[in-house]
Amino acid sequence: MGKIIAVGNLKGGTGKSTIAVNLACCLAESERSVRLIDADPQGTAAAWLRDGPPQGLSLVSLPLGRAPGGATWTEWISGQRHGYERIVIDLPPQMGDCFEAALRVADLLIVPLTLSEVDLHATAQALAVLHRMRAVRGGRPACLLVPSKVDRRTSLGRQARGSLAGLGWQVGPALGQRAAHGEA
């Protein structure tokens, strides 16, 4: 049965789509059957893959409330577990309903965040929703904070991992700010 990985934060511009697409492509390269669900009405993940997804990766655009066949959004996504080893959901920013719905079915939440005060405030709100959902779901989903767009030349960038560890969640490696992302 497949695992569901949601990539989300309530703040836009944190690198959610970039991380979701790159993660899904990397998993597909590992010869896994992977479905990437672009839940953002802006279609950013689909735009990244406009020339077609790589072999092993299936892409579907599915904003909240648009599940096929009369199923609810969460029912449809849960049903995908039987056909794919990994399901990666690229969540939209600032849509608490979609974020919460994804937490009802996800095994792991990856929370990309930048290190500004405004972004940390939005991330704290997302983590509060996660905390409530984990209480209902017996400690699931797991959570991984991923510092994104980090400039390692600054003291803030060099201390990112340690600073975020104080939030009480597991922290992944920091992703640097690279011009190549924008150029891609």
Side-chain angles (χ1 to χ4, degrees):
M1 184 126 89
K3 300 289 184 188
I4 298 174
I5 304 166
V7 182
N9 194 335
L10 300 180
K11 172 76 174 74
T14 60
K16 294 179 299 298
S17 297
T18 303
I19 290 171
V21 169
N22 281 283
L23 174 61
C25 288
C26 184
L27 289 169
E29 286 178 4
S30 301
E31 299 182 32
R32 298 181 188 262
S33 57
V34 179
R35 170 149 269 181
L36 173 60
I37 298 173
D38 188 348
D40 190 343
Q42 294 179 29
T44 306
W48 270 98
L49 298 171
R50 69 181 166 270
D51 293 332
Q55 185 174 0
L57 177 62
S58 168
L59 170 68
V60 63
S61 292
L62 190 70
L64 181 65
R66 297 188 190 163
T72 67
W73 191 79
T74 53
E75 289 170 343
W76 190 87
I77 291 174
S78 290
Q80 299 299 296
R81 288 181 188 266
H82 300 292
Y84 298 92
E85 291 181 56
R86 298 290 183 269
I87 299 149
V88 179
I89 308 170
D90 178 28
L91 294 169
Q94 303 172 345
M95 289 184 66
D97 291 341
C98 189
F99 186 80
E100 191 169 320
L103 295 183
R104 287 188 195 112
V105 296
D107 298 295
L108 170 65
L109 172 66
I110 296 175
V111 182
L113 61 129
T114 57
L115 302 175
S116 75
E117 279 297 316
V118 172
D119 287 3
L120 292 174
H121 176 73
T123 299
Q125 293 174 342
L127 293 174
V129 174
L130 172 65
H131 184 71
R132 286 193 309 270
M133 189 56 63
R134 285 173 54 99
V136 171
R137 293 190 60 208
R140 289 186 18 208
C143 178
L144 178 66
L145 302 178
V146 178
S148 179
K149 302 178 182 180
V150 174
D151 184 347
R152 291 182 177 98
R153 297 172 297 175
T154 66
S155 61
L156 182 62
R158 288 188 300 275
Q159 298 169 2
R161 187 178 178 93
S163 299
L164 294 174
L167 296 175
W169 301 96
Q170 188 171 358
V171 179
L175 303 177
Q177 174 70 22
R178 301 205 40 211
H181 288 162
E183 293 170 358

